[in-house]
Amino acid sequence: MDEINKRQFAKDHGLTDEEYKKINYKLKREPNFTEIGVLGAMWSEHCSYKSSKIHLKKLPTEGPQVIQGPGENAGVVDIGDDDCVVFKMESHNHPSFIEPYQGAATGVGGILRDIFTMGARPVALLDSLRFGNPKLPKTKFLVEGIVSGIAGYGNCIGIPTVGGEVYFDDCYNGNPLVNVFALGIAKKDGIFKGYAEGIGNPVIYVGSKTGRDGIQGAIMASDTFTEESEQKRPAVQVGDPFTEKLLLEACLELFKTDIVVGIQDMGAAGLTSSSTEMAERAETGLEIDIDKVPRREENMNAYEILLSESQERMLIVLKKGKEDEANKIFKKWGLDFSVIGKVTNTKKLTIIENGETVCDLPIDLITSDAPMYDRPFEKPAYINELKKINLDEIPEPDDLNESLLEVLASPTIANKKWVYEQYDYMVRTNTVTGPGSDASVIRIKDTNKAVAITSNCNSRYCYLNPREGTKIAVCENARNLACSGAVPLAITDCLNFGNPEKPEIMWQLKESIEGMAEAVNALGTPVVSGNVSLYNETEGTAIFPTPTIAMVGLIKDVNKTVNQWFKDDGDVIILLGDTLNEIGGSEYLKVVHNKIDGLAPKIDLIKEKALIDTLIECANESIIKSAHDISEGGLAATISECCFNPNELKGALINSEPLKENGYRNDVLLFSESQSRAIVTTDKENIQKLKDIAAKNNLSIKLIGVVVGEKLVIENILDVSTKKAYDAWSNGFENTLFN
C-alpha cells in the first residue's frame, strides 16, 4: 500500500491524521495493513475510552466490600462467608440497531462471558432497553427483534432474565439502547483474572471457530449512524447460545484444575483486545502464530482473524506443560482447542503468518498510549431555556381519574409482561422475586442469603439536568434495593451519550459522571465495573443522556425479602418522605400535557440515605409487609401498582388531608415525582416501631390510608376501581405498540 492509501485506510478505521502521525512517530515507521487494523480497533472510542477516561477517574471505585474494581472483565464484591458476587453491565446499541435479534443476543452472550471468565457461575440477567416512538413501525420491529434476541440467547443457555426496564422516547427513534447486566456467584479464592504471565507459558484459543462476522465491530460502535448504517450487517456478530453453554461448563471445569494463569473473553476487537489487554496487565508480550487459530472460513488473513468478533471464544494462558490436561476438558465438551502462541518478555504483540511477522507492535502503543482527550465542553443552549413549570399555564384536568388511567397505560409505566413473559426467569429455581417488583431477588444456593439486583435511569431527568438526573438514577436503584430489604453494595454502569466531539454532549457526560460520583459517595456504593457507549446519534440527532445504573444489594436472610404488593385488608398505608411542589420532567406532564419541559426533580442525598436506612431496618425487623418506591407516575401510580398484587387485586382508601397540608394542586399531589419517597404497609401493632425508626433517621412519615375494598380512593380527589386501573396498566404496552 502506498502512503496515501494507508492514510485513507487509517481514516476508514477511525484514526485521525494526528493519531496516525503519533503512531508513525512512536514506531519510527509506518504501520502495515494489519497493524492499522489493530490500532484502529484498540484506539476506537469503544475500546480506549479516549473521550471519557479523564472524567471516569473521578468515580469512587474502592470500599471495604470491593474485591475487584474497574479494569478487569467484571467487578467483584464480597458478600460474606467467602462468597462474592461478580457483575457488569455492557451496551450493544449499534449492533442491535443494525440487526436487532443478533445484536441483542450477542450482547447477552458477551456479558455472560465477562462473568464466567472471572470464575463465577452466572445466575441472573437484567436488560435495560430504550426505544423510540412506540407508534412507529420501526419501533415495533426493533422491540420484537431485540426482545426475541435476549430471550433466545438467555433461555437457551439457561440463565434467567429476572428484570430490567423498558423506556420509550422520540430521541431513540434512530438509535435504540440495549444495555445488558449479568451477575455471577463465586468463592473469594476462586476468582480468575486476565493476566498473560509467565514467560514461555502457552497461549490457548478455545471455543468456536473464527469467521468473518463482526470485523470492525468496535470501530462501527464508535461512530454515529447515517442512512448507510443499516447496510453494515456484516459488522454484527452471530451468536450460538448452545456453544456458549458448553464453553461455560468447560471453563468452570478447567478452573478446578489449578493450571490456569489467566483468561479473557474475546469480546470487542476479538483476539486483538484479549491478547493485548492480558499482556498489558502482566507487563509482558505475546507471540501468536495466526495460522493455528481455528477458523470456519477459507482464505482468512491475519487482519481478519485478529479483528473478527466471532462469538463464544476465549483466550487462556496455561501453566507450561499442562496443555494436554486442558485439551482433554475442551475436547470432552466438543470445543476447539489450539495452542496458538506463547508469553514473551518483549512487551510486544507479535503476529506470525506463514512464517513471517505481519504485526509487531509495542503493547503500550496499543493500550496505554491510546489517545486520551480532554474535549471541550459547553452547557447546551436548551438548558438555559428551561424554566420552572408555571402551573398557572397548565390547566388541571377536569377528570383526574382519566389522567391516572392515561399515565398507567403509557408504555413506559405499563406492565411489561409482553416482554418478560418471553424470558424464562425461573430457570435454575433460584428466583425469589422476578420481574415486576422494585428489585429482583436471587437466592444463593446452600445459604440463607439472597442478592437483590435492579437497573434504572430516567433519561428525561438527565436531559433536563444531567448531574441531578444521574444522582437520581443511582438513588432510585438504592431505593429499589432497600424496598426489597437489601443493603446496597456497589454499582455498574452503562454511560450512553451522543457524539463527544460536540461540546454540549461532552458537557452532559462530564456533568453525569460528577453527579454519579456525588451519589455513590453519599450512599457508599462504589463503581466496580461499567461501559461507555458514545456516538449514539443518527443524522445529527443525539439520544437523551442515558447513564444506566445497575446496583447489587445483599439480603442476609432471604426470608425477610419484601416486595411491593399490598398484602392484607386492614394493613396501614404509610408515606415515607416529603412531596414537593414540582412536576417538571414527569410522566404525567408528558402523557397528559405533552411536555417534557421544566426542571428535573430535586434530590437530597441526606434524605435519600435516611429513607434507605429506614427501609432496611424495617425489613430486618420484619416491621413492613410491603414497600414500593415512588418514581415515574408519582404517588397515584405507585399506590396503583401496590394494589396490583398478582395473587389478588387490592383496594386502598387514602385520606387526602395529610397529603394536602402544603396546599399543592391535586395533580401535583398525585403525579409529582419528588424523590426520596416510598409507600409502605404495616399492621397496626407495628406502627409505633416504624415511627420510632423514621424519627431516629429524621425521616418524614405520614399515615395516609388503609388497604381495603376494590377501589383506589383518594378522598375528594380520585375514585377508580382497581380492576379498571389494572386493565389500563396491564394492557397499555401491547395496546400502544401493537394495536
Side-chain angles (χ1 to χ4, degrees), residues 219-266:
I219 297 165
M220 178 269 290
S222 306
D223 198 4
T224 57
F225 280 136
T226 64
E227 291 180 358
E228 291 76 35
S229 294
E230 290 196 67
Q231 305 305 315
K232 294 183 179 179
R233 294 182 189 276
V236 177
Q237 312 92 327
V238 178
D240 178 357
F242 299 105
T243 299
E244 177 116 335
K245 173 63 173 172
L246 299 176
L247 183 60
L248 186 162
E249 298 299 341
C251 287
L252 293 182
E253 183 175 339
L254 179 72
F255 293 148
K256 297 175 182 178
T257 63
D258 192 34
I259 64 173
V260 177
V261 175
I263 180 169
Q264 176 117 342
D265 162 43
M266 294 190 210

Side-chain angles (χ1 to χ4, degrees), residues 181 454 592:
F181 164 97
T454 186
V592 177

Side-chain angles (χ1 to χ4, degrees), residues 560-574:
K560 294 183 177 179
T561 300
V562 181
N563 60 41
Q564 70 184 38
W565 299 295
F566 291 158
K567 302 298 186 301
D568 300 306
D569 286 357
D571 287 346
V572 179
I573 301 171
I574 295 170

Side-chain angles (χ1 to χ4, degrees), residues 339-357:
V339 180
I340 64 169
K342 62 184 178 182
V343 179
T344 69
N345 62 1
T346 62
K347 296 187 178 181
K348 286 186 174 185
L349 175 66
T350 304
I351 305 298
I352 310 297
E353 183 179 37
N354 297 323
E356 296 187 2
T357 300

Side-chain angles (χ1 to χ4, degrees), residues 637-650:
T638 300
I639 294 177
S640 299
E641 290 169 347
C642 293
C643 290
F644 302 155
N645 189 313
N647 298 319
E648 179 188 11
L649 295 181
K650 294 293 181 180

